[in-house]
Amino acid sequence: DVQLVESGGGLVQAGGSLRLSCAASRVTFDDSVIGWFRQAPGKERERVSCIRRSDGSTYYADSVKGRFTISSDNAKKTVYLQINSLKPEDTAVYYCAAERGGILPCGSNYYEYSYWGQGTQVTVSS
């Protein structure tokens, strides 16, 4: 099965930046969509961004648009999430997830993500 491992989380002051990484292994399909999600205690999981590997098309939730940037290094099988201008409300466990790619953009809500990482904690102090 596909294995995903997140890294790059930590404790940072408001206004700071982090770059999260999602490294994939055991990939068995030709194309994929990779999503970044976050979940804080007592809140539902939120999809913050995604990317379709084949063409690099991306999606951002309104809550992070303009501050987060997703990118993919296909040779390294790694997807990154650059997070700038961090706010306390960004505090959450961040997960990456993968699903076989299709014709629709990743932001269409069509995809049910089958593979998930274990998460990396992002904590933003005020």
Side-chain angles (χ1 to χ4, degrees):
D1 260 348
V2 174
Q3 183 179 16
L4 304 174
V5 179
E6 302 96 334
S7 62
L11 175 63
V12 65
Q13 293 181 341
S17 299
L18 287 172
R19 189 180 73 161
L20 308 183
S21 298
C22 174
S25 61
R26 305 179 187 178
V27 178
T28 59
F29 32 77
D30 294 332
D31 191 23
S32 63
V33 292
I34 307 295
W36 279 101
F37 298 77
R38 66 186 181 187
Q39 188 166 27
K43 297 181 64 178
E44 291 189 346
R45 187 179 62 209
E46 176 189 19
R47 184 184 61 180
V48 298
S49 185
C50 61
I51 186 168
R52 189 168 61 191
R53 271 182 44 228
S54 59
D55 61 2
S57 58
T58 59
Y59 160 86
Y60 298 96
D62 289 342
S63 59
V64 306
K65 196 172 299 181
R67 300 188 297 117
F68 289 23
T69 303
I70 191 170
S71 61
S72 177
D73 186 334
N74 290 340
K76 296 179 64 175
K77 298 181 180 179
T78 301
V79 172
Y80 304 95
L81 187 68
Q82 178 69 40
I83 309 176
N84 297 326
S85 302
L86 277 159
K87 304 175 181 179
E89 53 262 43
D90 294 321
T91 295
V93 177
Y94 284 71
Y95 301 89
C96 66
E99 179 55 75
R100 184 184 300 274
I103 192 170
L104 297 177
C106 66
S108 70
N109 293 319
Y110 167 81
Y111 298 98
E112 297 286 344
Y113 289 86
S114 298
Y115 307 99
W116 292 80
Q118 293 181 303
T120 184
Q121 176 72 47
V122 172
T123 303
V124 184
S125 61
S126 60

